[in-house]
Amino acid sequence: MEKQGPDEQAEVVDPPPPKRNWRDSKIVDKSIWFRMGSGCFKLKFNPIVTIAAIVCIIAFVIYCILDDEASDHFSTAKYWISVKFTWLYIGSQDIWAVVIIAIYFSKYGNMKLGKDDEKPEYSDGSWFAMLFACGVGVGLFFFGVAEPVWHYVGPNRYTRDKYMPDNELAQVAMNVTFFHWGIHGWIVYVIIGMILGFLAFRKDMPMTMKSCFYPLIGDRIYGWMGDLIDILSIITTLFGVCTSLGLGTIQVNRGLNYMNENIEMSITNQIIIIWCITAVATISVITGVGVGIRRLSEICFGLGMVIMMMVAFLDDIWYVLNLYCQSIGYYFQYILQLGFHCDAFELLDVGSYGAADRGRAYDDLEGDGPKTWMDGWTIFYWGWWISWSPFVGMFIAKISKGRTLRQFINGSLTAPMIYSFMWLTVFGGSGIRMERLASQENLCCHNFANLDIFTSKPENMTLLKKLYNPPFTDSNNFLCGMSVKGATDETREYTSLKCNPCSMKLISERFTDDLKTLSDSELEALVNTLKKDEAWMGKYPSKENKTVSRLSCMKSEEMWFALVSSYKDMGGFLRVLSLAGIILYFVTSSDSGSLVIDIMSANGDQEPPIPQRVFWALVEGATATALLTAGGSKALGALQTASVVAGLPYTIIMCFVTVALWRALAMEAGDIDPYGNDFSVLLVDPLTKLKPKLWLEFLLNIVMAPHTIYKVVVRHKLGGIATGIMAAICWVSFIVLMILEIAGQYSSLAVEGLYSLAWVFYLSFVTIVTVVRAQIRGKYKISGNPIEDFFAAMFLYPSVMIQLNRVSKKYGIAPLMPDDPNRVRERKSDTTSKV
């Protein structure tokens, strides 16, 4: 110990309290409640969260209905996110995956979601069926055939390579699909489910999203910040379920139309479907998880298994087995490459592409793949998975009590991933095989819109005869598309677009008569005949006793039924099973979504009152109905895109949740002392506490941060005056340069690029603050790490200034868990003490 001068007084730092395990703490629920009634008519919910969520939902739905461009606005926002924040989506998913893998192989994997002696509530089969039905069951019906086919036909960075062998392109299509439904997709559900299950069943905390932040901010979750998180979670969950319910009814309607042409594709039929699903879901949610949701999930899973096995055997079982084994190998070989790929070059402006004459296989300047591919696929998926994480994660947590973390990861990540890959191999692989057979049969896509236009009015029949006469040897044919120039009948000019050889072949076979010799009724009959012509529609009886369809000619919701219908004698049976499975999967998504929303609105009460369950189930149906009736699929699309856009703030939330998860496990294991020293003011205190003095200190430090740094380093002898001066120089330079940059926008003396130097100075200032905070933590034995210090200084430096200023002789330090009722009061250092 260094010698003290006669007039010097040593600063006394008391030793931390004895190290205790977090199990000793008792966490008290301080949520706001509204209670009324009793028995079956009881109401019990958080009034702030519930009312605010309902108001936001109503306002947003009205906006989507009234504004025809709402979908375009959100699509623009989503594309902007893909250009600016693809790195964040991609990188964060990778980090979360690493954290979960680390937990799996660490000692934390033996911890339970519950007390040490508690056993699982459900069998492994029922548990897996429920989490799978809640998580992705519906999506696999919709994308199971469509996604691999779309990746196979493009456009994307793989189909642009004209020298890529077709077999390799087919395998790449499967690999990209696996990537979207593999580890990176399920990981968000695992993180939310794990931390909620851990805190709810092991620490007796309310099962609601704000509880995830307790290991970081303690009792501050019972304020506006926690309520805001729950409100956002309710809104994104309801929007996700509603859009799936609304858009899913279109697929159900399509399936019914496949089975019976008299059942039209109409809004009326789709509304009937919505309320049939809502009615069954309401009954299911009333009966609870153990009866309704559980049994429906088991039936859904069983139906899915039957359909999958039948298609595997009906198609080519040996091909399916080969493809499954091969695709898993490709997935693990390319997972790092795909997992970090951001389409960096594709997202550049057109002027940043390479020269057209550098020997490429093609000579256009559109880049090596569409700029919108990442936005339409990977970013869409990541945003969708993340926006659904409160809903699915909480539901998985609710049914996982009594399982170890390792068992939880196996059941909610490993098993679903293996099963999803099997599903995608059977249906996606069969779809790609059918697409290739169809191309060999010269089946192609045709546009009937022109035929409908010409036969809709008598005068258009004359125009049809005028435009179209044999012999039909010209590849420019209006049946394949047509451009129109001119505003009036006198000036209007029609130009037929080019047909591909496949289309020309069919046209020459079917149009053999001079159209001028046909009457209007005969011409209309010819058009109607074409609409029922299977070869013209892209279908052809192949040699394999099945109907081959060109799936890429169809909409995504049609591809599934086209595939299962192709197995001739068994096609009708598979259509019925598929329709039943899709409807039941929608029911399980709806009922589990209603239950989760009610739990969040009821402050995490896992058995919310029945009237509230009914209310939220009906709200889902009413929301989907209102959007579909007033705005059609475009309004539903706006809601869906908005949910994906909400994935951006939720990505940031998820990063904090991941840190909270690791800290909770470390405190439970005793690796972090939850009652050790900490700053007496948390980073969020100026934003959450009603203390004007704290607010004033926060506002002053926005501009006076360098002065605070100077005081701290001098008081604690952490680098001398030079550190404070450097912090002041960096901060003042940042402010001055940013002012000049903004002023330059309105002046002829502008100097372009000043902002770049300004941000260099700001990052230098952040680095100085990071170093000082790390030194203070080391001196006072405060837990933390340099990464936390850096991000705290980056985004909340005024709060960091308050923390550093109050770690002094006047304010002292506080225990790490200030919410523990047994904690020691904040103590002031005794300035008269001697060493």
Side-chain angles (χ1 to χ4, degrees):
M1 184 178 295
E2 294 183 1
K3 271 185 148 182
Q4 303 281 338
D7 297 326
E8 286 184 298
Q9 293 179 344
E11 185 175 339
V12 176
V13 180
D14 296 337
K19 189 173 182 179
R20 291 183 289 166
N21 192 287
W22 198 23
R23 299 178 188 181
D24 299 334
S25 63
K26 178 66 175 177
I27 299 173
V28 180
D29 184 2
K30 301 178 182 179
S31 302
I32 300 174
W33 289 95
F34 173 84
R35 294 181 173 89
M36 185 177 71
S38 61
C40 295
F41 300 99
K42 179 174 64 175
L43 295 177
K44 186 173 65 170
F45 56 86
N46 185 317
I48 296 176
V49 171
T50 303
I51 295 173
I54 293 173
V55 170
C56 290
I57 289 166
I58 293 174
F60 197 86
V61 169
I62 292 174
Y63 166 68
C64 291
I65 292 174
L66 297 181
D67 190 345
D68 293 336
E69 298 181 352
S71 181
D72 297 333
H73 294 159
F74 289 116
S75 295
T76 302
K78 185 164 73 74
Y79 179 70
W80 179 84
I81 289 172
S82 71
V83 173
K84 305 298 183 184
F85 292 102
T86 291
W87 61 272
L88 178 62
Y89 273 103
I90 299 295
S92 59
Q93 302 273 135
D94 294 325
I95 293 172
W96 303 338
V98 170
V99 170
I100 291 301
I101 293 172
I103 291 174
Y104 185 88
F105 289 104
S106 71
K107 62 182 180 180
Y108 302 151
N110 294 320
M111 291 183 183
K112 277 192 174 184
L113 301 179
K115 306 300 187 290
D116 291 336
D117 58 346
E118 288 183 322
K119 302 296 181 183
E121 291 184 296
Y122 306 101
S123 67
D124 292 344
S126 296
W127 177 55
F128 179 75
M130 284 191 286
L131 70 87
F132 186 82
C134 171
V136 298
V138 173
L140 285 177
F141 273 95
F142 191 85
F143 290 106
V145 177
E147 184 175 352
V149 171
W150 287 130
H151 293 324
Y152 174 66
V153 300
N156 53 53
R157 58 181 177 270
Y158 306 108
T159 55
R160 291 296 302 275
D161 184 356
K162 295 184 178 181
Y163 295 126
M164 178 177 284
D166 193 69
N167 289 342
E168 184 178 349
L169 182 60
Q171 183 58 67
V172 167
M174 293 300 304
N175 200 37
V176 174
T177 306
F178 275 24
F179 171 59
H180 289 152
W181 294 85
I183 294 174
H184 292 76
W186 284 92
I187 204 71
V188 293
Y189 297 166
V190 175
I191 289 175
I192 295 295
M194 183 178 293
I195 189 169
L196 281 177
F198 184 84
L199 293 174
F201 298 130
R202 196 170 183 90
K203 309 306 298 178
D204 299 320
M205 291 197 66
M207 185 174 283
T208 184
M209 282 299 298
K210 64 186 177 187
S211 296
C212 298
F213 294 86
Y214 187 85
L216 296 179
I217 62 176
D219 275 354
R220 281 75 169 181
I221 66 172
Y222 300 114
W224 70 265
M225 189 174 293
D227 290 340
L228 181 63
I229 292 170
D230 282 346
I231 292 169
L232 179 61
S233 301
I234 289 175
I235 293 172
T236 54
T237 297
L238 187 129
F239 285 176
V241 174
C242 284
T243 50
S244 293
L245 181 62
L247 296 175
T249 57
I250 299 175
Q251 187 177 23
V252 174
N253 196 176
R254 179 69 64 183
L256 292 171
N257 179 257
Y258 254 85
M259 297 172 62
N260 186 346
E261 292 183 356
N262 294 323
I263 302 177
E264 299 178 349
M265 292 290 297
S266 67
I267 297 295
T268 301
N269 287 336
Q270 290 161 15
I271 291 174
I272 293 172
I273 294 169
I274 286 176
W275 283 104
C276 288
I277 292 174
T278 300
V280 178
T282 303
I283 296 172
S284 175
V285 78
I286 289 174
T287 57
V289 176
V291 181
I293 296 176
R294 175 184 179 181
R295 298 308 177 194
L296 278 176
S297 299
E298 291 171 350
I299 294 171
C300 287
F301 187 76
L303 276 176
M305 285 293 294
V306 170
I307 297 170
M308 182 172 64
M309 292 297 100
M310 285 186 65
V311 171
F313 285 112
L314 286 170
D315 198 272
D316 186 338
I317 185 63
W318 310 116
Y319 158 72
V320 169
L321 293 174
N322 285 334
L323 182 60
Y324 184 61
C325 181
Q326 176 175 298
S327 297
I328 288 179
Y330 267 79
Y331 174 76
F332 285 107
Q333 178 183 356
Y334 291 103
I335 185 63
L336 285 179
Q337 177 181 325
L338 278 176
F340 285 90
H341 189 87
C342 296
D343 262 8
F345 296 108
E346 286 81 357
L347 292 174
L348 288 172
D349 293 332
V350 174
S352 301
Y353 292 153
D357 58 353
R358 64 173 177 80
R360 300 190 300 181
Y362 37 87
D363 57 1
D364 57 77
L365 291 177
E366 296 181 1
D368 292 349
K371 291 182 65 173
T372 57
W373 188 90
M374 181 65 74
D375 171 61
W377 286 104
T378 304
I379 297 303
F380 166 79
Y381 267 118
W382 284 186
W384 191 244
W385 287 96
I386 292 169
S387 66
W388 270 52
S389 60
F391 156 39
V392 182
M394 186 177 297
F395 182 78
I396 294 175
K398 180 173 175 57
I399 63 176
S400 300
K401 184 177 183 179
R403 298 183 184 273
T404 66
L405 301 189
R406 194 169 288 113
Q407 291 172 339
F408 180 81
I409 295 171
N410 283 333
S412 59
L413 176 63
T414 309
M417 184 178 68
I418 293 173
Y419 185 82
S420 297
F421 287 176
M422 187 183 304
W423 183 282
L424 293 167
T425 299
V426 171
F427 295 103
S430 299
I432 289 178
R433 181 168 174 267
M434 178 183 287
E435 179 71 13
R436 299 175 77 178
L437 289 172
S439 66
Q440 293 174 10
E441 300 284 358
N442 291 323
L443 301 185
C444 50
C445 307
H446 304 278
N447 184 2
F448 285 96
N450 290 315
L451 293 177
D452 291 333
I453 290 172
F454 286 121
T455 57
S456 61
K457 296 181 180 179
E459 58 266 25
N460 289 341
M461 301 294 288
T462 304
L463 180 59
L464 175 61
K465 295 178 182 181
K466 177 181 177 182
L467 287 173
Y468 204 74
N469 292 292
F472 307 121
T473 57
D474 188 1
S475 61
N476 290 327
N477 193 293
F478 83 96
L479 291 174
C480 299
M482 183 169 55
S483 63
V484 182
K485 294 181 180 179
T488 65
D489 291 338
E490 292 76 15
T491 61
R492 189 170 293 126
E493 296 180 359
Y494 299 89
T495 303
S496 298
L497 301 183
K498 189 173 183 179
C499 295
N500 57 41
C502 172
S503 297
M504 282 304 302
K505 177 177 180 293
L506 292 175
I507 289 171
S508 61
E509 289 176 355
R510 283 154 179 77
F511 285 88
T512 57
D513 298 323
D514 188 338
L515 300 186
K516 290 183 178 179
T517 64
L518 300 178
S519 66
D520 289 353
S521 59
E522 289 174 331
L523 185 55
E524 187 171 1
L526 174 61
V527 171
N528 291 330
T529 301
L530 281 177
K531 292 181 179 181
K532 297 180 181 180
D533 189 328
E534 286 200 336
W536 183 269
M537 291 289 288
K539 299 178 181 179
Y540 192 82
S542 75
K543 299 176 183 179
E544 300 186 6
N545 194 33
K546 62 184 290 186
T547 300
V548 176
S549 301
R550 193 67 182 260
L551 296 175
S552 57
C553 299
M554 305 177 183
K555 297 179 180 179
S556 296
E557 65 267 17
E558 295 177 308
M559 291 187 189
W560 176 276
F561 290 102
L563 177 69
V564 298
S565 299
S566 68
Y567 301 107
K568 291 203 170 178
D569 294 339
M570 298 304 298
F573 181 63
L574 284 172
R575 283 199 301 269
V576 173
L577 286 183
S578 296
L579 200 58
I582 292 170
I583 292 173
L584 289 177
Y585 268 118
F586 275 119
V587 170
T588 55
S589 294
S590 180
D591 58 16
S592 54
S594 302
L595 182 61
V596 166
I597 291 173
D598 195 13
I599 290 174
M600 284 191 285
S601 67
N603 286 322
D605 183 357
Q606 296 185 47
E607 296 298 332
I610 290 178
Q612 293 171 206
R613 302 187 196 187
V614 174
F615 171 77
W616 286 110
L618 296 179
V619 166
E620 288 176 10
T623 302
T625 301
L627 289 168
L628 197 59
T629 303
S633 58
K634 193 170 183 179
L636 285 168
L639 200 63
Q640 182 187 44
T641 308
S643 299
V644 176
V645 170
L648 177 61
Y650 239 99
T651 299
I652 299 172
I653 290 174
M654 282 291 302
C655 291
F656 285 104
V657 170
T658 304
V659 175
L661 171 62
W662 188 269
R663 178 162 291 188
L665 299 179
M667 288 191 295
E668 184 73 7
D671 295 334
I672 294 179
D673 184 2
Y675 307 105
N677 294 337
D678 194 10
F679 295 106
S680 58
V681 175
L682 297 188
L683 290 171
V684 297
D685 280 352
L687 306 176
T688 59
K689 287 193 171 183
L690 298 175
K691 291 186 176 181
K693 184 177 180 181
L694 197 59
W695 294 348
L696 178 61
E697 194 173 353
F698 182 88
L699 294 174
L700 287 175
N701 273 293
I702 292 177
V703 295
M704 298 296 293
H707 180 256
T708 304
I709 282 287
Y710 175 79
K711 290 194 302 181
V712 170
V713 297
V714 170
R715 180 187 304 140
H716 297 280
K717 302 177 182 179
L718 301 175
I721 299 176
T723 303
I725 293 175
M726 284 299 299
I729 292 174
C730 292
W731 176 248
V732 172
S733 299
F734 167 71
I735 296 297
V736 171
L737 290 172
M738 289 302 292
I739 291 174
L740 291 175
E741 174 71 22
I742 296 172
Q745 305 298 321
Y746 308 95
S747 171
S748 59
L749 302 177
V751 178
E752 294 185 3
L754 283 178
Y755 70 90
S756 61
L757 187 57
W759 285 112
V760 169
F761 278 114
Y762 181 74
L763 290 176
S764 300
F765 168 76
V766 168
T767 302
I768 293 172
V769 175
T770 300
V771 172
V772 173
R773 191 173 190 266
Q775 290 175 328
I776 289 290
R777 285 193 304 98
K779 182 173 183 179
Y780 289 94
K781 309 299 181 186
I782 298 173
S783 64
N785 59 71
I787 296 177
E788 293 178 5
D789 295 333
F790 178 81
F791 283 106
M794 171 76 80
F795 298 109
L796 282 173
Y797 72 86
S799 294
V800 174
M801 296 300 104
I802 297 174
Q803 287 184 331
L804 299 180
N805 187 45
R806 294 199 176 195
V807 178
S808 65
K809 298 174 183 179
K810 182 178 180 181
Y811 288 96
I813 51 180
L816 179 61
M817 296 298 293
D819 314 303
D820 179 52
N822 300 317
R823 72 181 179 90
V824 181
R825 291 179 178 273
E826 293 182 6
R827 59 192 186 282
K828 299 180 181 180
S829 301
D830 183 3
T831 57
T832 62
S833 299
K834 302 285 186 181
V835 174

